[in-house]
Amino acid sequence: EVQLVESGGGLVQPGGSLRLSCAASGFTFSIYAMSWVRQAPGKGLEWVSHINGGGGGTNYADSVKGRFTISRDNTKNTLYLQMSSLKPEDTALYYCAKGTNWNPLYGMDYWGKGTLVTVSS
């Protein structure tokens, strides 16, 4: 059974940093693309970032480029999102999602339950 469990969310002041983690199980983590997607209160889903299977390529939404870094540790079956220079508009429920294969452009088929990030003074 595929399981994705996010952690690391919380309350942080503007300009602060957080690192989100996503522990994966039930599939061969290293060969699948992984993504982070967020949903702000009252808004729709927004793709944040993805990383290829194997970790060779990454991409970011313009809204987070230069502030967020996606990475993966295939030995620990864990996906990360390092977030810095956080803004109030980054407040959202952050989900990790599993790709359908190594290429993130082929979509996502499993999602975690999310971890809440609140950026406020």
Side-chain angles (χ1 to χ4, degrees):
E1 177 189 6
V2 172
Q3 289 194 328
L4 300 169
V5 181
E6 302 93 338
S7 61
L11 175 63
V12 61
Q13 291 188 342
S17 298
L18 278 177
R19 188 177 81 156
L20 305 184
S21 299
C22 173
S25 61
F27 63 103
T28 306
F29 177 76
S30 61
I31 65 173
Y32 286 93
M34 297 294 296
S35 300
W36 287 100
V37 179
R38 69 186 181 184
Q39 186 169 28
K43 297 191 176 182
L45 293 171
E46 177 190 17
W47 168 77
V48 174
S49 180
H50 63 227
I51 186 167
N52 290 358
T58 60
N59 203 2
Y60 299 90
D62 288 343
S63 58
V64 307
K65 198 171 292 183
R67 300 188 298 121
F68 290 10
T69 302
I70 191 171
S71 62
R72 63 193 300 162
D73 186 336
N74 290 334
T75 67
K76 296 181 178 180
N77 289 352
T78 302
L79 176 72
Y80 301 101
L81 185 68
Q82 179 68 49
M83 306 185 296
S84 60
S85 302
L86 283 161
K87 306 175 182 180
E89 51 264 43
D90 294 318
T91 294
L93 189 61
Y94 284 73
Y95 300 95
C96 74
K98 170 187 167 292
T100 58
N101 61 35
W102 68 271
N103 188 332
L105 299 182
Y106 284 87
M108 295 164 269
D109 54 6
Y110 289 91
W111 298 66
K113 294 183 178 180
T115 186
L116 182 63
V117 173
T118 303
V119 184
S120 175
S121 55

